Amino acid sequence: MAIPLVAGFDGSEASLEAVDWAAEEAVRHDVPLHLVYAVAPDHDAVAPDHDAVGPVAAAMARARKGAPSVRLSSEVLHEDPASALLGKGRNAFALVLGCRGLGDLNGLLLGSVSLAVAARADCPVIVVRGEAEHRDGRFGSVVVGVEDGEGSRTAVQFAFREAHVRHCGLVAVHAWSVPFGAFSEPPPPSGYALEAHCRPPAQVLDDALRGPAERYPDGSVSREVVEGSARQALLAAASYADLLVVGSGTRRGHLGLQLGLVNHAVLHHAPRPVAVVPQM
């Protein structure tokens, strides 16, 4: 049995937009879509299943309308939504969530459940962001952020696969800056400081892309090396992409520290859906 793509929803418009996106994604990858409606146990003194019939039926109908061929199932869970989705994510192709839910304040840029799940899930988490007209694949591009080291390896593989099933181009972005204090001494010969403190940016991209590019030899890949803020570089690149992919490190520490500043920024501000892919 194929591992499903899991979409969490609570009946809010943002969560139903995530269901729309997830249905198309499931068809692209030829995997089943499993819809999860989770209600905290203390909500309405443990709401009975019939209270979820309306929202579940609406979500199922919406998924089928947008992707008639999708293989669809649903489930109602009486537990904390973040915990329920994290549990489902242990055996999921990916988790798809809206950027806000029914219980989130209007001023929040990202819902609390989506943030908690993106920080702790064992599988890729896609937070569906942006206006409807910007979620329909019109740009023909997937953007992936590449950092120095192994933290982006799984994210790059995920991004190549997304570009492949979408029949679109991949843009790999690496932002770099000279480490603070690198020139506290008189400047060394040209090029020395960069080599002494980190690999050349172009080499970082070449090394990260080499393996996946061999697996997808027909893919169109472009490279962007940006001197400056990774946050700004990724947000700028996402303006012309259908999906932004970023990696995340090992799941350790306290919530709020696990995603890193760059991932927090793109999850809150990106104009397109964002995939957070844990290192594996």
Side-chain angles (χ1 to χ4, degrees):
M1 183 176 179
I3 297 177
L5 179 69
V6 175
F9 73 100
D10 61 4
S12 65
E13 182 58 27
S15 73
L16 291 174
E17 290 171 354
V19 168
D20 294 339
W21 192 95
E24 295 179 358
E25 180 77 349
V27 171
R28 275 192 289 265
H29 288 279
D30 191 24
V31 297
L33 174 61
H34 186 63
L35 304 182
V36 174
Y37 183 86
V39 183
D42 59 350
H43 178 74
D44 290 340
V46 187
D49 284 352
H50 64 72
D51 287 353
V53 169
V56 171
M60 297 272 285
R62 221 164 136 155
R64 288 199 175 99
K65 180 179 179 180
S69 63
V70 68
R71 291 173 282 163
L72 196 59
S73 61
S74 65
E75 184 175 9
V76 177
L77 297 176
H78 296 294
E79 59 180 294
D80 170 70
S83 298
L85 291 167
L86 288 169
K88 289 298 175 181
R90 296 188 184 101
N91 188 38
F93 181 82
L95 288 167
V96 180
L97 307 170
C99 59
R100 286 187 298 275
L102 287 173
D104 294 307
L105 299 176
N106 289 334
L108 290 178
L109 296 174
L110 181 68
S112 56
V113 171
S114 298
L115 183 61
V117 173
R120 296 161 54 197
D122 295 323
C123 68
V125 175
I126 299 101
V127 176
V128 178
R129 299 186 54 83
E131 300 299 325
E133 63 269 24
H134 295 153
R135 299 193 301 266
D136 59 4
R138 66 171 55 189
F139 294 100
S141 176
V142 171
V143 169
V144 60
V146 178
E147 62 184 49
D148 198 356
E150 290 293 316
S152 303
R153 178 176 54 83
T154 310
V156 170
Q157 295 170 354
F158 180 92
F160 264 91
R161 183 173 60 182
E162 283 295 323
H164 175 72
V165 298
R166 293 164 182 269
H167 308 288
C168 73
L170 176 66
V171 180
V173 178
H174 174 58
W176 69 279
S177 59
V178 176
F180 179 77
F183 297 123
S184 57
E185 301 294 331
S190 176
Y192 173 81
L194 185 62
E195 294 175 0
H197 293 278
C198 63
R199 293 184 297 160
Q203 182 183 339
V204 171
L205 281 177
D206 287 344
D207 291 347
L209 300 175
R210 185 176 298 111
E214 293 174 353
R215 183 174 180 181
Y216 298 99
D218 297 330
S220 172
V221 183
S222 60
R223 295 162 168 78
E224 290 187 10
V225 174
V226 179
E227 183 177 2
S229 162
R231 176 182 64 85
Q232 293 177 358
L234 291 174
L235 289 174
S239 297
Y240 304 97
D242 301 315
L243 178 67
L244 172 62
V245 181
V246 293
S248 66
T250 305
R251 309 303 196 180
R252 293 175 182 172
H254 298 287
L255 180 60
L257 299 177
Q258 296 162 321
L259 286 171
L261 295 177
V262 173
N263 287 359
H264 267 278
V266 299
L267 282 169
H268 281 87
H269 299 290
R272 308 288 179 263
V274 178
V276 179
V277 183
Q279 180 181 342
M280 296 180 183

